[in-house]
Amino acid sequence: MSNLKDKIEKSLTPYLDTITVKVNNAVDKMGEKASDVFKDENKMQNIFRNVYESLPLFLRMGMKPETFVNFCMKHRDRFIKPDIPQSTQRDNDDTVNDADKN
């Protein structure tokens, strides 16, 4: 069983950043607090199923959706971005923009 886990991990490792972005984009579109969505098992499973559909074909051919969803649910802390209040986010964006002007 450990060998299968290792193979899944190895095949998904190059895509973890992409998966993280897609998961967080889906959470953002829901308009709910990210920490609340990440705690909701059903919502997260649905998000991971949708992300599975966007994986490269060769990965989908070698991995069942349930396997991907289970992997992601087990390791979902990898995909969590912290809740950032909008005002803080805007302040950070302004700081970056000001730095770019110099």
Side-chain angles (χ1 to χ4, degrees), residues 1 9 11 17 23 26 33-34 47 66 83 100:
M1 189 72 162
E9 178 96 21
S11 64
D17 289 340
V23 167
K33 190 174 177 184
I47 288 170
E66 300 83 26
D83 288 326
D100 290 340

Side-chain angles (χ1 to χ4, degrees), residues 20 24 28 33-35 38 77 79-85 89:
T20 300
N24 284 286
D28 289 345
K33 190 174 177 184
S35 59
F38 278 109
D77 57 313
F79 308 112
I80 296 174
K81 91 177 167 188
D83 288 326
I84 301 172
Q89 182 64 39

Side-chain angles (χ1 to χ4, degrees), residues 17-91:
D17 289 340
T18 301
I19 293 169
T20 300
V21 168
K22 290 181 183 218
V23 167
N24 284 286
N25 285 344
V27 170
D28 289 345
K29 287 180 184 177
M30 296 178 90
E32 298 177 39
K33 190 174 177 184
S35 59
D36 293 340
V37 176
F38 278 109
K39 291 176 189 173
D40 188 315
E41 299 275 323
N42 291 327
K43 288 179 183 177
M44 290 308 301
Q45 288 174 352
N46 287 332
I47 288 170
F48 290 133
R49 279 188 202 96
N50 289 332
V51 171
Y52 171 83
E53 295 300 325
S54 69
L55 292 174
L57 180 60
F58 74 91
L59 280 176
R60 288 183 283 142
M61 296 294 289
M63 184 182 315
K64 294 180 181 179
E66 300 83 26
T67 303
F68 176 76
V69 170
N70 290 337
F71 172 83
C72 290
M73 289 298 290
K74 189 174 214 174
H75 302 286
R76 70 174 135 180
D77 57 313
R78 292 181 178 187
F79 308 112
I80 296 174
K81 91 177 167 188
D83 288 326
I84 301 172
Q86 289 294 68
S87 61
T88 304
Q89 182 64 39
R90 272 189 233 108
D91 292 344

